[in-house]
PDB file of all heavy atoms in Angstrom:
ATOM      1  N   ASP A   1     -61.602   6.171 255.494  1.00 95.00           N
ATOM      2  CA  ASP A   1     -61.516   6.008 254.044  1.00 95.00           C
ATOM      3  C   ASP A   1     -61.018   7.271 253.345  1.00 95.00           C
ATOM      4  O   ASP A   1     -60.667   7.218 252.163  1.00 95.00           O
ATOM      5  CB  ASP A   1     -62.882   5.631 253.457  1.00 95.00           C
ATOM      6  CG  ASP A   1     -63.285   4.203 253.811  1.00 95.00           C
ATOM      7  OD1 ASP A   1     -62.386   3.402 254.128  1.00 95.00           O
ATOM      8  OD2 ASP A   1     -64.487   3.901 253.775  1.00 95.00           O
ATOM      9  N   GLY A   2     -61.019   8.402 254.030  1.00 96.00           N
ATOM     10  CA  GLY A   2     -60.588   9.651 253.423  1.00 96.00           C
ATOM     11  C   GLY A   2     -61.633  10.219 252.487  1.00 96.00           C
ATOM     12  O   GLY A   2     -62.566   9.536 252.060  1.00 96.00           O
ATOM     13  N   ALA A   3     -61.494  11.509 252.164  1.00 97.00           N
ATOM     14  CA  ALA A   3     -62.427  12.184 251.255  1.00 97.00           C
ATOM     15  C   ALA A   3     -61.838  13.536 250.875  1.00 97.00           C
ATOM     16  O   ALA A   3     -60.900  14.028 251.511  1.00 97.00           O
ATOM     17  CB  ALA A   3     -63.796  12.370 251.912  1.00 97.00           C
ATOM     18  N   TYR A   4     -62.422  14.142 249.839  1.00 98.00           N
ATOM     19  CA  TYR A   4     -61.936  15.454 249.376  1.00 98.00           C
ATOM     20  C   TYR A   4     -63.060  16.202 248.684  1.00 98.00           C
ATOM     21  O   TYR A   4     -63.902  15.597 247.991  1.00 98.00           O
ATOM     22  CB  TYR A   4     -60.768  15.293 248.391  1.00 98.00           C
ATOM     23  CG  TYR A   4     -60.466  16.573 247.645  1.00 98.00           C
ATOM     24  CD1 TYR A   4     -59.686  17.573 248.226  1.00 98.00           C
ATOM     25  CD2 TYR A   4     -60.995  16.798 246.367  1.00 98.00           C
ATOM     26  CE1 TYR A   4     -59.442  18.766 247.562  1.00 98.00           C
ATOM     27  CE2 TYR A   4     -60.754  17.982 245.695  1.00 98.00           C
ATOM     28  CZ  TYR A   4     -59.978  18.965 246.296  1.00 98.00           C
ATOM     29  OH  TYR A   4     -59.749  20.147 245.636  1.00 98.00           O
ATOM     30  N   CYS A   5     -63.075  17.524 248.855  1.00 98.00           N
ATOM     31  CA  CYS A   5     -63.933  18.368 248.019  1.00 98.00           C
ATOM     32  C   CYS A   5     -63.346  19.772 247.956  1.00 98.00           C
ATOM     33  O   CYS A   5     -62.576  20.195 248.829  1.00 98.00           O
ATOM     34  CB  CYS A   5     -65.374  18.409 248.540  1.00 98.00           C
ATOM     35  SG  CYS A   5     -65.626  19.471 249.976  1.00 98.00           S
ATOM     36  N   LEU A   6     -63.697  20.494 246.914  1.00 98.00           N
ATOM     37  CA  LEU A   6     -63.403  21.916 246.762  1.00 98.00           C
ATOM     38  C   LEU A   6     -64.724  22.635 246.942  1.00 98.00           C
ATOM     39  O   LEU A   6     -65.667  22.414 246.178  1.00 98.00           O
ATOM     40  CB  LEU A   6     -62.820  22.195 245.375  1.00 98.00           C
ATOM     41  CG  LEU A   6     -62.483  23.658 245.058  1.00 98.00           C
ATOM     42  CD1 LEU A   6     -61.356  24.163 245.953  1.00 98.00           C
ATOM     43  CD2 LEU A   6     -62.091  23.798 243.585  1.00 98.00           C
ATOM     44  N   ASP A   7     -64.834  23.483 247.957  1.00 98.00           N
ATOM     45  CA  ASP A   7     -66.140  24.059 248.258  1.00 98.00           C
ATOM     46  C   ASP A   7     -66.456  25.280 247.395  1.00 98.00           C
ATOM     47  O   ASP A   7     -65.648  25.699 246.555  1.00 98.00           O
ATOM     48  CB  ASP A   7     -66.288  24.343 249.758  1.00 98.00           C
ATOM     49  CG  ASP A   7     -65.528  25.573 250.267  1.00 98.00           C
ATOM     50  OD1 ASP A   7     -65.155  26.450 249.467  1.00 98.00           O
ATOM     51  OD2 ASP A   7     -65.320  25.661 251.496  1.00 98.00           O
ATOM     52  N   SER A   8     -67.639  25.840 247.593  1.00 97.00           N
ATOM     53  CA  SER A   8     -68.144  26.926 246.754  1.00 97.00           C
ATOM     54  C   SER A   8     -67.336  28.210 246.890  1.00 97.00           C
ATOM     55  O   SER A   8     -67.450  29.113 246.059  1.00 97.00           O
ATOM     56  CB  SER A   8     -69.607  27.214 247.106  1.00 97.00           C
ATOM     57  OG  SER A   8     -69.730  27.576 248.479  1.00 97.00           O
ATOM     58  N   HIS A   9     -66.504  28.320 247.925  1.00 98.00           N
ATOM     59  CA  HIS A   9     -65.663  29.499 248.130  1.00 98.00           C
ATOM     60  C   HIS A   9     -64.211  29.238 247.744  1.00 98.00           C
ATOM     61  O   HIS A   9     -63.328  30.052 248.043  1.00 98.00           O
ATOM     62  CB  HIS A   9     -65.732  29.947 249.597  1.00 98.00           C
ATOM     63  CG  HIS A   9     -67.032  30.579 249.972  1.00 98.00           C
ATOM     64  ND1 HIS A   9     -68.220  29.881 250.006  1.00 98.00           N
ATOM     65  CD2 HIS A   9     -67.330  31.858 250.324  1.00 98.00           C
ATOM     66  CE1 HIS A   9     -69.201  30.703 250.373  1.00 98.00           C
ATOM     67  NE2 HIS A   9     -68.682  31.894 250.563  1.00 98.00           N
ATOM     68  N   GLY A  10     -63.960  28.107 247.096  1.00 98.00           N
ATOM     69  CA  GLY A  10     -62.610  27.806 246.637  1.00 98.00           C
ATOM     70  C   GLY A  10     -61.683  27.251 247.700  1.00 98.00           C
ATOM     71  O   GLY A  10     -60.461  27.232 247.511  1.00 98.00           O
ATOM     72  N   VAL A  11     -62.238  26.770 248.826  1.00 98.00           N
ATOM     73  CA  VAL A  11     -61.431  26.189 249.898  1.00 98.00           C
ATOM     74  C   VAL A  11     -61.352  24.677 249.707  1.00 98.00           C
ATOM     75  O   VAL A  11     -62.379  24.016 249.520  1.00 98.00           O
ATOM     76  CB  VAL A  11     -62.026  26.514 251.280  1.00 98.00           C
ATOM     77  CG1 VAL A  11     -61.200  25.861 252.386  1.00 98.00           C
ATOM     78  CG2 VAL A  11     -62.112  28.025 251.490  1.00 98.00           C
ATOM     79  N   HIS A  12     -60.148  24.139 249.748  1.00 98.00           N
ATOM     80  CA  HIS A  12     -59.948  22.694 249.644  1.00 98.00           C
ATOM     81  C   HIS A  12     -60.212  22.045 251.008  1.00 98.00           C
ATOM     82  O   HIS A  12     -59.721  22.531 252.034  1.00 98.00           O
ATOM     83  CB  HIS A  12     -58.517  22.379 249.211  1.00 98.00           C
ATOM     84  CG  HIS A  12     -58.136  22.928 247.868  1.00 98.00           C
ATOM     85  ND1 HIS A  12     -58.368  22.249 246.696  1.00 98.00           N
ATOM     86  CD2 HIS A  12     -57.556  24.107 247.516  1.00 98.00           C
ATOM     87  CE1 HIS A  12     -57.936  22.971 245.668  1.00 98.00           C
ATOM     88  NE2 HIS A  12     -57.439  24.103 246.145  1.00 98.00           N
ATOM     89  N   HIS A  13     -60.957  20.957 251.007  1.00 98.00           N
ATOM     90  CA  HIS A  13     -61.215  20.188 252.223  1.00 98.00           C
ATOM     91  C   HIS A  13     -60.689  18.776 251.998  1.00 98.00           C
ATOM     92  O   HIS A  13     -61.239  18.021 251.179  1.00 98.00           O
ATOM     93  CB  HIS A  13     -62.711  20.151 252.540  1.00 98.00           C
ATOM     94  CG  HIS A  13     -63.275  21.493 252.887  1.00 98.00           C
ATOM     95  ND1 HIS A  13     -63.424  21.927 254.194  1.00 98.00           N
ATOM     96  CD2 HIS A  13     -63.711  22.501 252.093  1.00 98.00           C
ATOM     97  CE1 HIS A  13     -63.943  23.145 254.184  1.00 98.00           C
ATOM     98  NE2 HIS A  13     -64.121  23.521 252.935  1.00 98.00           N
ATOM     99  N   LEU A  14     -59.620  18.440 252.699  1.00 98.00           N
ATOM    100  CA  LEU A  14     -58.969  17.151 252.512  1.00 98.00           C
ATOM    101  C   LEU A  14     -59.025  16.349 253.811  1.00 98.00           C
ATOM    102  O   LEU A  14     -58.496  16.773 254.834  1.00 98.00           O
ATOM    103  CB  LEU A  14     -57.509  17.349 252.089  1.00 98.00           C
ATOM    104  CG  LEU A  14     -56.665  16.085 251.928  1.00 98.00           C
ATOM    105  CD1 LEU A  14     -57.235  15.170 250.848  1.00 98.00           C
ATOM    106  CD2 LEU A  14     -55.218  16.452 251.620  1.00 98.00           C
ATOM    107  N   THR A  15     -59.694  15.207 253.764  1.00 98.00           N
ATOM    108  CA  THR A  15     -59.736  14.277 254.888  1.00 98.00           C
ATOM    109  C   THR A  15     -58.777  13.144 254.574  1.00 98.00           C
ATOM    110  O   THR A  15     -58.976  12.403 253.608  1.00 98.00           O
ATOM    111  CB  THR A  15     -61.159  13.739 255.108  1.00 98.00           C
ATOM    112  OG1 THR A  15     -62.041  14.845 255.336  1.00 98.00           O
ATOM    113  CG2 THR A  15     -61.207  12.801 256.291  1.00 98.00           C
ATOM    114  N   LEU A  16     -57.734  13.030 255.365  1.00 96.00           N
ATOM    115  CA  LEU A  16     -56.691  12.055 255.090  1.00 96.00           C
ATOM    116  C   LEU A  16     -57.114  10.651 255.517  1.00 96.00           C
ATOM    117  O   LEU A  16     -57.790  10.478 256.532  1.00 96.00           O
ATOM    118  CB  LEU A  16     -55.412  12.447 255.827  1.00 96.00           C
ATOM    119  CG  LEU A  16     -54.795  13.772 255.356  1.00 96.00           C
ATOM    120  CD1 LEU A  16     -53.806  14.289 256.382  1.00 96.00           C
ATOM    121  CD2 LEU A  16     -54.126  13.590 254.005  1.00 96.00           C
ATOM    122  N   GLU A  17     -56.713   9.670 254.751  1.00 95.00           N
ATOM    123  CA  GLU A  17     -57.020   8.283 255.070  1.00 95.00           C
ATOM    124  C   GLU A  17     -56.393   7.890 256.403  1.00 95.00           C
ATOM    125  O   GLU A  17     -55.336   8.393 256.794  1.00 95.00           O
ATOM    126  CB  GLU A  17     -56.486   7.361 253.965  1.00 95.00           C
ATOM    127  CG  GLU A  17     -57.166   7.532 252.621  1.00 95.00           C
ATOM    128  CD  GLU A  17     -56.535   8.587 251.731  1.00 95.00           C
ATOM    129  OE1 GLU A  17     -55.688   9.364 252.241  1.00 95.00           O
ATOM    130  OE2 GLU A  17     -56.881   8.660 250.544  1.00 95.00           O
ATOM    131  N   GLY A  18     -57.044   6.966 257.102  1.00 93.00           N
ATOM    132  CA  GLY A  18     -56.539   6.538 258.402  1.00 93.00           C
ATOM    133  C   GLY A  18     -55.423   5.516 258.266  1.00 93.00           C
ATOM    134  O   GLY A  18     -55.617   4.440 257.700  1.00 93.00           O
ATOM    135  N   VAL A  19     -54.265   5.858 258.790  1.00 87.00           N
ATOM    136  CA  VAL A  19     -53.137   4.926 258.693  1.00 87.00           C
ATOM    137  C   VAL A  19     -53.335   3.710 259.598  1.00 87.00           C
ATOM    138  O   VAL A  19     -52.612   2.719 259.480  1.00 87.00           O
ATOM    139  CB  VAL A  19     -51.801   5.629 259.022  1.00 87.00           C
ATOM    140  CG1 VAL A  19     -51.523   6.722 258.025  1.00 87.00           C
ATOM    141  CG2 VAL A  19     -51.795   6.172 260.437  1.00 87.00           C
ATOM    142  N   ILE A  20     -54.341   3.783 260.493  1.00 85.00           N
ATOM    143  CA  ILE A  20     -54.625   2.635 261.361  1.00 85.00           C
ATOM    144  C   ILE A  20     -55.053   1.409 260.547  1.00 85.00           C
ATOM    145  O   ILE A  20     -54.949   0.269 261.001  1.00 85.00           O
ATOM    146  CB  ILE A  20     -55.717   3.005 262.391  1.00 85.00           C
ATOM    147  CG1 ILE A  20     -55.774   1.975 263.516  1.00 85.00           C
ATOM    148  CG2 ILE A  20     -57.076   3.170 261.726  1.00 85.00           C
ATOM    149  CD1 ILE A  20     -56.684   2.374 264.663  1.00 85.00           C
ATOM    150  N   GLU A  21     -55.518   1.626 259.321  1.00 87.00           N
ATOM    151  CA  GLU A  21     -55.931   0.514 258.457  1.00 87.00           C
ATOM    152  C   GLU A  21     -54.756  -0.116 257.714  1.00 87.00           C
ATOM    153  O   GLU A  21     -54.938  -1.072 256.964  1.00 87.00           O
ATOM    154  CB  GLU A  21     -56.960   1.012 257.423  1.00 87.00           C
ATOM    155  CG  GLU A  21     -58.144   1.767 258.011  1.00 87.00           C
ATOM    156  CD  GLU A  21     -59.085   0.882 258.803  1.00 87.00           C
ATOM    157  OE1 GLU A  21     -58.893  -0.338 258.783  1.00 87.00           O
ATOM    158  OE2 GLU A  21     -60.000   1.427 259.439  1.00 87.00           O
ATOM    159  N   THR A  22     -53.558   0.428 257.880  1.00 90.00           N
ATOM    160  CA  THR A  22     -52.391  -0.086 257.170  1.00 90.00           C
ATOM    161  C   THR A  22     -51.990  -1.461 257.711  1.00 90.00           C
ATOM    162  O   THR A  22     -51.899  -1.640 258.918  1.00 90.00           O
ATOM    163  CB  THR A  22     -51.212   0.893 257.335  1.00 90.00           C
ATOM    164  OG1 THR A  22     -51.610   2.174 256.861  1.00 90.00           O
ATOM    165  CG2 THR A  22     -49.994   0.429 256.558  1.00 90.00           C
ATOM    166  N   PRO A  23     -51.755  -2.445 256.844  1.00 89.00           N
ATOM    167  CA  PRO A  23     -51.365  -3.780 257.322  1.00 89.00           C
ATOM    168  C   PRO A  23     -50.061  -3.744 258.115  1.00 89.00           C
ATOM    169  O   PRO A  23     -49.195  -2.891 257.868  1.00 89.00           O
ATOM    170  CB  PRO A  23     -51.187  -4.579 256.022  1.00 89.00           C
ATOM    171  CG  PRO A  23     -51.990  -3.842 255.001  1.00 89.00           C
ATOM    172  CD  PRO A  23     -51.905  -2.397 255.384  1.00 89.00           C
ATOM    173  N   PRO A  24     -49.898  -4.645 259.069  1.00 88.00           N
ATOM    174  CA  PRO A  24     -48.646  -4.709 259.833  1.00 88.00           C
ATOM    175  C   PRO A  24     -47.440  -4.867 258.914  1.00 88.00           C
ATOM    176  O   PRO A  24     -47.525  -5.475 257.838  1.00 88.00           O
ATOM    177  CB  PRO A  24     -48.834  -5.944 260.724  1.00 88.00           C
ATOM    178  CG  PRO A  24     -50.318  -6.104 260.834  1.00 88.00           C
ATOM    179  CD  PRO A  24     -50.879  -5.633 259.525  1.00 88.00           C
ATOM    180  N   GLU A  25     -46.327  -4.295 259.351  1.00 90.00           N
ATOM    181  CA  GLU A  25     -45.043  -4.363 258.642  1.00 90.00           C
ATOM    182  C   GLU A  25     -45.066  -3.618 257.310  1.00 90.00           C
ATOM    183  O   GLU A  25     -44.154  -3.782 256.490  1.00 90.00           O
ATOM    184  CB  GLU A  25     -44.608  -5.825 258.407  1.00 90.00           C
ATOM    185  CG  GLU A  25     -44.634  -6.693 259.645  1.00 90.00           C
ATOM    186  CD  GLU A  25     -43.815  -6.100 260.795  1.00 90.00           C
ATOM    187  OE1 GLU A  25     -42.774  -5.488 260.525  1.00 90.00           O
ATOM    188  OE2 GLU A  25     -44.256  -6.234 261.955  1.00 90.00           O
ATOM    189  N   SER A  26     -46.087  -2.808 257.060  1.00 90.00           N
ATOM    190  CA  SER A  26     -46.084  -1.954 255.876  1.00 90.00           C
ATOM    191  C   SER A  26     -46.082  -0.503 256.349  1.00 90.00           C
ATOM    192  O   SER A  26     -46.006  -0.230 257.550  1.00 90.00           O
ATOM    193  CB  SER A  26     -47.296  -2.240 254.990  1.00 90.00           C
ATOM    194  OG  SER A  26     -48.497  -1.987 255.686  1.00 90.00           O
ATOM    195  N   ASN A  27     -46.192   0.428 255.430  1.00 90.00           N
ATOM    196  CA  ASN A  27     -46.015   1.820 255.788  1.00 90.00           C
ATOM    197  C   ASN A  27     -47.083   2.679 255.136  1.00 90.00           C
ATOM    198  O   ASN A  27     -47.632   2.324 254.094  1.00 90.00           O
ATOM    199  CB  ASN A  27     -44.628   2.307 255.362  1.00 90.00           C
ATOM    200  CG  ASN A  27     -44.023   3.279 256.361  1.00 90.00           C
ATOM    201  OD1 ASN A  27     -44.748   3.954 257.085  1.00 90.00           O
ATOM    202  ND2 ASN A  27     -42.702   3.346 256.393  1.00 90.00           N
ATOM    203  N   ALA A  28     -47.371   3.813 255.745  1.00 92.00           N
ATOM    204  CA  ALA A  28     -48.295   4.788 255.149  1.00 92.00           C
ATOM    205  C   ALA A  28     -47.986   6.150 255.741  1.00 92.00           C
ATOM    206  O   ALA A  28     -47.924   6.314 256.949  1.00 92.00           O
ATOM    207  CB  ALA A  28     -49.753   4.405 255.423  1.00 92.00           C
ATOM    208  N   PHE A  29     -47.782   7.115 254.880  1.00 92.00           N
ATOM    209  CA  PHE A  29     -47.560   8.488 255.326  1.00 92.00           C
ATOM    210  C   PHE A  29     -47.747   9.413 254.130  1.00 92.00           C
ATOM    211  O   PHE A  29     -47.839   8.975 252.983  1.00 92.00           O
ATOM    212  CB  PHE A  29     -46.157   8.680 255.934  1.00 92.00           C
ATOM    213  CG  PHE A  29     -45.021   8.422 254.984  1.00 92.00           C
ATOM    214  CD1 PHE A  29     -44.513   9.447 254.195  1.00 92.00           C
ATOM    215  CD2 PHE A  29     -44.462   7.162 254.876  1.00 92.00           C
ATOM    216  CE1 PHE A  29     -43.457   9.216 253.321  1.00 92.00           C
ATOM    217  CE2 PHE A  29     -43.411   6.913 254.000  1.00 92.00           C
ATOM    218  CZ  PHE A  29     -42.902   7.945 253.219  1.00 92.00           C
ATOM    219  N   GLY A  30     -47.810  10.690 254.405  1.00 94.00           N
ATOM    220  CA  GLY A  30     -47.930  11.670 253.334  1.00 94.00           C
ATOM    221  C   GLY A  30     -47.033  12.856 253.618  1.00 94.00           C
ATOM    222  O   GLY A  30     -46.800  13.225 254.769  1.00 94.00           O
ATOM    223  N   THR A  31     -46.508  13.441 252.566  1.00 95.00           N
ATOM    224  CA  THR A  31     -45.707  14.663 252.665  1.00 95.00           C
ATOM    225  C   THR A  31     -46.382  15.725 251.819  1.00 95.00           C
ATOM    226  O   THR A  31     -46.685  15.493 250.651  1.00 95.00           O
ATOM    227  CB  THR A  31     -44.272  14.436 252.158  1.00 95.00           C
ATOM    228  OG1 THR A  31     -43.673  13.375 252.909  1.00 95.00           O
ATOM    229  CG2 THR A  31     -43.438  15.708 252.316  1.00 95.00           C
ATOM    230  N   ILE A  32     -46.639  16.884 252.429  1.00 96.00           N
ATOM    231  CA  ILE A  32     -47.261  17.990 251.703  1.00 96.00           C
ATOM    232  C   ILE A  32     -46.199  19.027 251.381  1.00 96.00           C
ATOM    233  O   ILE A  32     -45.527  19.539 252.284  1.00 96.00           O
ATOM    234  CB  ILE A  32     -48.409  18.627 252.506  1.00 96.00           C
ATOM    235  CG1 ILE A  32     -49.538  17.612 252.705  1.00 96.00           C
ATOM    236  CG2 ILE A  32     -48.941  19.864 251.802  1.00 96.00           C
ATOM    237  CD1 ILE A  32     -50.725  18.147 253.490  1.00 96.00           C
ATOM    238  N   TYR A  33     -46.043  19.316 250.106  1.00 97.00           N
ATOM    239  CA  TYR A  33     -45.124  20.355 249.635  1.00 97.00           C
ATOM    240  C   TYR A  33     -45.946  21.626 249.409  1.00 97.00           C
ATOM    241  O   TYR A  33     -46.946  21.595 248.684  1.00 97.00           O
ATOM    242  CB  TYR A  33     -44.432  19.912 248.345  1.00 97.00           C
ATOM    243  CG  TYR A  33     -43.610  18.652 248.528  1.00 97.00           C
ATOM    244  CD1 TYR A  33     -44.181  17.391 248.378  1.00 97.00           C
ATOM    245  CD2 TYR A  33     -42.259  18.734 248.880  1.00 97.00           C
ATOM    246  CE1 TYR A  33     -43.431  16.234 248.565  1.00 97.00           C
ATOM    247  CE2 TYR A  33     -41.504  17.579 249.066  1.00 97.00           C
ATOM    248  CZ  TYR A  33     -42.092  16.337 248.905  1.00 97.00           C
ATOM    249  OH  TYR A  33     -41.349  15.191 249.096  1.00 97.00           O
ATOM    250  N   VAL A  34     -45.527  22.706 250.044  1.00 96.00           N
ATOM    251  CA  VAL A  34     -46.309  23.940 250.037  1.00 96.00           C
ATOM    252  C   VAL A  34     -45.601  25.000 249.199  1.00 96.00           C
ATOM    253  O   VAL A  34     -44.414  25.297 249.417  1.00 96.00           O
ATOM    254  CB  VAL A  34     -46.523  24.454 251.476  1.00 96.00           C
ATOM    255  CG1 VAL A  34     -47.377  25.717 251.471  1.00 96.00           C
ATOM    256  CG2 VAL A  34     -47.182  23.379 252.333  1.00 96.00           C
ATOM    257  N   TYR A  35     -46.351  25.566 248.266  1.00 95.00           N
ATOM    258  CA  TYR A  35     -45.857  26.630 247.400  1.00 95.00           C
ATOM    259  C   TYR A  35     -46.759  27.850 247.562  1.00 95.00           C
ATOM    260  O   TYR A  35     -47.791  27.779 248.225  1.00 95.00           O
ATOM    261  CB  TYR A  35     -45.846  26.170 245.938  1.00 95.00           C
ATOM    262  CG  TYR A  35     -45.011  24.930 245.706  1.00 95.00           C
ATOM    263  CD1 TYR A  35     -45.572  23.653 245.867  1.00 95.00           C
ATOM    264  CD2 TYR A  35     -43.671  25.018 245.340  1.00 95.00           C
ATOM    265  CE1 TYR A  35     -44.810  22.504 245.665  1.00 95.00           C
ATOM    266  CE2 TYR A  35     -42.908  23.877 245.128  1.00 95.00           C
ATOM    267  CZ  TYR A  35     -43.479  22.627 245.292  1.00 95.00           C
ATOM    268  OH  TYR A  35     -42.735  21.495 245.082  1.00 95.00           O
ATOM    269  N   GLU A  36     -46.388  28.952 246.952  1.00 92.00           N
ATOM    270  CA  GLU A  36     -47.187  30.170 247.078  1.00 92.00           C
ATOM    271  C   GLU A  36     -48.577  30.002 246.494  1.00 92.00           C
ATOM    272  O   GLU A  36     -49.530  30.651 246.942  1.00 92.00           O
ATOM    273  CB  GLU A  36     -46.478  31.340 246.394  1.00 92.00           C
ATOM    274  CG  GLU A  36     -45.270  31.860 247.152  1.00 92.00           C
ATOM    275  CD  GLU A  36     -44.761  33.172 246.589  1.00 92.00           C
ATOM    276  OE1 GLU A  36     -45.365  33.671 245.615  1.00 92.00           O
ATOM    277  OE2 GLU A  36     -43.770  33.699 247.128  1.00 92.00           O
ATOM    278  N   ASP A  37     -48.725  29.140 245.490  1.00 95.00           N
ATOM    279  CA  ASP A  37     -50.012  29.023 244.799  1.00 95.00           C
ATOM    280  C   ASP A  37     -50.620  27.633 244.829  1.00 95.00           C
ATOM    281  O   ASP A  37     -51.646  27.385 244.196  1.00 95.00           O
ATOM    282  CB  ASP A  37     -49.847  29.467 243.337  1.00 95.00           C
ATOM    283  CG  ASP A  37     -48.869  28.587 242.564  1.00 95.00           C
ATOM    284  OD1 ASP A  37     -48.074  27.865 243.209  1.00 95.00           O
ATOM    285  OD2 ASP A  37     -48.894  28.617 241.318  1.00 95.00           O
ATOM    286  N   LYS A  38     -50.009  26.706 245.565  1.00 97.00           N
ATOM    287  CA  LYS A  38     -50.541  25.339 245.583  1.00 97.00           C
ATOM    288  C   LYS A  38     -49.922  24.539 246.709  1.00 97.00           C
ATOM    289  O   LYS A  38     -48.884  24.904 247.274  1.00 97.00           O
ATOM    290  CB  LYS A  38     -50.293  24.630 244.250  1.00 97.00           C
ATOM    291  CG  LYS A  38     -48.841  24.447 243.882  1.00 97.00           C
ATOM    292  CD  LYS A  38     -48.719  23.762 242.525  1.00 97.00           C
ATOM    293  CE  LYS A  38     -47.271  23.654 242.047  1.00 97.00           C
ATOM    294  NZ  LYS A  38     -46.702  24.982 241.714  1.00 97.00           N
TER     295      LYS A  38
END
């Protein structure tokens, strides 16, 4: 199901959703764009 939190030290914790739950013949993916500050 995925989950997210920002912890007490400012670290992001991102649990990505499981693509195994995606219906047949459909699609699921993610692209992360990385910058110096985000």
Side-chain angles (χ1 to χ4, degrees):
D1 289 338
Y4 166 82
C5 77
L6 179 65
D7 75 19
S8 59
H9 288 67
V11 178
H12 299 273
H13 294 264
L14 177 61
T15 302
L16 296 163
E17 294 89 348
V19 297
I20 195 172
E21 308 290 353
T22 303
E25 309 306 324
S26 61
N27 217 334
F29 62 89
T31 302
I32 296 180
Y33 299 88
V34 182
Y35 302 87
E36 287 191 1
D37 62 342
K38 62 181 175 292

